[in-house]
Amino acid sequence: MTERPLSAVPIPILALLTLALVLQIYWGLRTPLPQAKAQALPPPPNHEVIAVASFGESIVASQSMALYLQAFDNQPGISIPFQNLDYATVIQWLDRMLELDSRAQYPLLMATHLYTQVPDPARQKQMLEFTYRHFFAAPDLRWQWLAHAAIVAKHRLHDLPLALKYSRAIARHANGPGVPHWAQQMPIFILQEMGETESAKILLGGLLANNTLDDPHEIRFLTERLKEMETGIVEKSPPLSKMQQD
Amino acid sequence: MSRAIFTIAYFTFLEAARARLVRLLLLVVLTAFAGGLFLNEIAIADSQRIQTAFLAASLRPASVFMLSLFIISSLAREFNEKGLELILSLDLPRTSYVIGKQLGFMGIALLLTSAVSLLLAAYAPAGQVLLWGLSLLGELWIMAALSLFCLLTFSQIVPAMSLVLGFYLLSRSMTAIQMIGHAPINETGTVQLYMVHALDAIALLLPRLDAFTQTAWLVNNSGSWAQLGPIALQTLIYLALLLAGALFDISRRNL
């Protein structure tokens, strides 16, 4: 279908079109963009709402909540520092995610790696305690997050008793085949760092005596370490992060 | 001429009733009402707030969808059945046809808004519902004019409906997109800078529908009549623009 020429359009219509276009652009130019306002993190939705919204797909719901929470600090036009987040509400969200998917690692990763980056020891401890609280539900699955919590407690918070508490929990409860020996040896080096050499010696001696270690290099290293402790040569333990690399 | 315009408008409105739009409207309103009741039952706190927000947030786009779909399908049928040719073969200016149709669609929008607002009046303060309803009316008038313009331009249902829905989604989210563009998380490169300018230019041509018909007015009682002024002005400007576009298109159409 061919179109009629432009001259077929009545002039009042062309005038109205031009005027309306100019007015729309003028209106758009004089209307400023609204200022970005940070929205407070709302409490997580309750179970019933989640069940309806996710059509009973609780694992997908947990994952969606994790992504929502992760992206929450980047709202349109504004980036909220972690310090401005209400950590009690953040923990409610993390709790709800683990309730929906008990095998999820994401909430524990967020707690130990993401939300502990805040420069506020009280908030960091909230996240570490969250990890500790949930560790006991599946120690063999969640030991790595508590191990990281122990590292944060030792190196960032310089709270050795707290690091010892976490590392002891790993040593006592995470005994599955997938848990490496270094994770179970953590309390020994923290005790040594704390000056509790006698306790460290007892633990290390016990570890060597019960034949749980099978790597000859590891056995040699720990035996030498025990000897050094007994002779009083070693005063400082290797950093936990280095142990992880080993 | 004005008599012809009102006759076209009247028959357009009448067609809506005959096309069972009223029944569809009742069905949508009842479904939303049932959904709201369900949420009210399962919510532990803020149940009425949740119900009102759900109703407002679901009925607003549902009204836009129903109206646009009706307009586009009704006009497409008229084009296919050569109804437009028949009307224009009479001693009737093309302008009257477009204005008459638009007036009829605006009447249907008024019907939709009244039904939705009446339901919401049971849950929110009357003044706020009135403000919300008037704003929805402006939004629906713009969408009606856009649907008319799109079908006159494309003459087919699928491209016209796709453009209408895309336009609606973009108009409602453009402010957020602009705010993200103006405050990037990472470093800004030249390409991104051009994209931000391009977004700003597109935004100038769109109505800011995110400022229209806000659910917060109903649940927080936060709407003020001062907000209606800019909404009314934006509606008028955009209606004029779309109507002029539709008139421009029909004037160039070779029948």
Side-chain angles (χ1 to χ4, degrees):
Chain A
M1 190 192 298
T2 54
E3 284 187 331
R4 293 161 80 189
L6 202 60
S7 56
V9 182
I11 290 175
I13 292 176
L14 283 175
L16 179 66
L17 185 63
T18 313
L19 180 69
L21 191 62
V22 169
L23 273 175
Q24 170 62 26
I25 292 171
Y26 172 73
W27 180 253
L29 285 173
R30 72 176 295 279
T31 314
L33 262 183
Q35 288 293 310
K37 278 187 285 188
Q39 303 287 320
L41 181 66
N46 59 39
H47 285 286
E48 292 86 349
V49 171
I50 293 169
V52 172
S54 66
F55 301 105
E57 294 276 6
S58 60
I59 293 174
V60 177
S62 170
Q63 291 163 347
S64 308
M65 286 175 72
L67 294 177
Y68 170 80
L69 184 63
Q70 184 190 315
F72 187 82
D73 54 308
N74 283 313
Q75 296 174 15
I78 199 161
S79 182
I80 309 170
F82 284 150
Q83 195 141 16
N84 293 354
L85 287 176
D86 179 355
Y87 265 44
T89 313
V90 172
I91 286 173
Q92 284 176 18
W93 277 81
L94 297 172
D95 278 332
R96 187 61 44 84
M97 285 176 220
L98 284 175
E99 285 162 21
L100 290 167
D101 181 8
S102 59
R103 291 186 67 83
Q105 301 279 15
Y106 214 115
L108 294 157
L109 178 142
M110 289 168 85
T112 51
H113 287 261
L114 203 61
Y115 293 113
T116 50
Q117 288 175 12
V118 67
D120 176 357
R123 284 193 168 93
Q124 285 179 332
K125 278 185 184 170
Q126 274 182 286
M127 285 298 151
L128 300 186
E129 280 304 304
F130 164 83
T131 312
Y132 180 67
R133 189 157 47 83
H134 284 282
F135 163 76
F136 297 100
D140 290 343
L141 200 66
R142 297 177 180 172
W143 65 268
Q144 52 182 312
W145 311 118
L146 196 60
H148 188 79
I151 291 166
V152 172
K154 183 174 184 284
H155 292 283
R156 279 197 225 151
L157 296 174
H158 306 292
D159 188 340
L160 289 174
L162 192 64
L164 184 64
K165 179 174 128 182
Y166 297 157
S167 60
R168 274 185 167 153
I170 296 170
R172 283 179 192 154
H173 299 276
N175 301 307
V179 183
H181 294 306
W182 66 259
Q184 289 170 342
Q185 293 156 15
M186 282 172 81
I188 297 167
F189 299 102
I190 295 172
L191 277 169
Q192 193 187 344
E193 184 88 356
M194 292 169 77
E196 306 251 358
T197 318
E198 279 309 309
S199 307
K201 276 196 301 191
I202 293 166
L203 273 179
L204 188 49
L207 192 70
L208 287 166
N210 65 11
N211 293 325
T212 49
L213 304 175
D214 49 11
D215 182 348
H217 297 283
E218 196 173 2
I219 293 170
R220 194 187 323 132
F221 169 75
L222 290 174
T223 310
E224 282 172 13
R225 196 86 185 160
L226 181 62
K227 280 180 191 163
E228 286 165 354
M229 276 187 204
E230 282 169 349
T231 52
I233 296 170
V234 177
E235 289 301 326
K236 287 278 174 187
S237 66
L240 288 175
S241 51
K242 187 173 179 296
M243 285 164 54
Q244 260 187 310
Q245 286 165 10
D246 295 340
Chain B
M1 180 175 164
S2 62
R3 189 181 163 79
I5 288 174
F6 286 113
T7 308
I8 292 172
Y10 173 70
F11 279 100
T12 304
F13 187 80
L14 210 60
E15 189 198 345
R18 287 181 182 160
R20 300 180 182 170
L21 185 70
V22 178
R23 280 187 222 176
L24 177 65
L25 171 66
L26 281 175
L27 187 71
V28 168
V29 167
L30 276 175
T31 310
F33 177 68
L37 268 185
F38 178 64
L39 286 182
N40 188 3
E41 287 301 314
I42 62 173
I44 292 165
D46 269 350
S47 51
Q48 177 141 346
R49 230 167 153 259
I50 290 171
Q51 189 177 7
T52 311
F54 171 78
L55 282 174
S58 57
L59 287 172
R60 180 185 174 191
S63 306
V64 169
F65 184 76
M66 273 191 293
L67 184 69
S68 304
L69 194 61
F70 168 74
I71 293 171
I72 287 173
S73 58
S74 136
L75 284 175
R77 196 179 61 247
E78 199 168 299
F79 284 11
N80 293 336
E81 292 171 356
K82 307 290 177 194
L84 178 64
E85 280 86 342
L86 180 70
I87 292 171
L88 295 185
S89 67
L90 305 172
D91 182 21
L92 189 74
R94 294 176 180 214
T95 319
S96 305
Y97 173 77
V98 172
I99 295 175
K101 279 284 173 192
Q102 176 63 23
L103 279 179
F105 297 143
M106 285 164 78
I108 299 165
L110 183 63
L111 180 78
L112 291 176
T113 308
S114 308
V116 169
S117 302
L118 270 175
L119 176 64
L120 282 167
Y123 302 101
Q128 297 293 321
V129 174
L130 186 61
L131 181 65
W132 189 91
L134 287 172
S135 174
L136 178 66
L137 189 62
E139 187 172 327
L140 289 181
W141 282 359
I142 290 177
M143 295 311 293
L146 179 76
S147 305
L148 177 65
F149 169 72
C150 284
L151 203 90
L152 284 175
T153 307
F154 298 112
S155 304
Q156 286 181 349
I157 295 179
V158 175
M161 197 65 204
S162 306
L163 200 131
V164 167
L165 292 181
F167 173 93
Y168 185 66
L169 291 176
L170 197 61
S171 298
R172 282 193 62 174
S173 50
M174 193 41 129
T175 304
I177 295 171
Q178 276 183 289
M179 282 160 75
I180 293 168
H182 282 277
I185 299 163
N186 301 322
E187 278 185 41
T188 331
T190 318
V191 178
Q192 191 171 353
L193 212 62
Y194 282 120
M195 280 182 71
V196 171
H197 290 315
L199 279 174
D200 287 344
I202 295 168
L204 283 180
L205 300 174
L206 294 173
R208 284 217 180 132
L209 291 185
D210 59 287
F212 282 55
T213 327
Q214 293 173 34
T215 304
W217 297 343
L218 301 174
V219 293
N220 297 340
N221 207 358
S222 59
S224 72
W225 289 100
Q227 286 169 282
L228 197 61
I231 288 172
L233 199 57
Q234 173 66 92
T235 304
L236 279 178
I237 293 172
Y238 221 78
L239 264 183
L241 179 64
L242 290 169
L243 267 181
L247 288 170
F248 180 85
D249 263 1
I250 203 166
S251 302
R252 294 198 69 199
R253 184 179 270 264
N254 227 344
L255 298 172

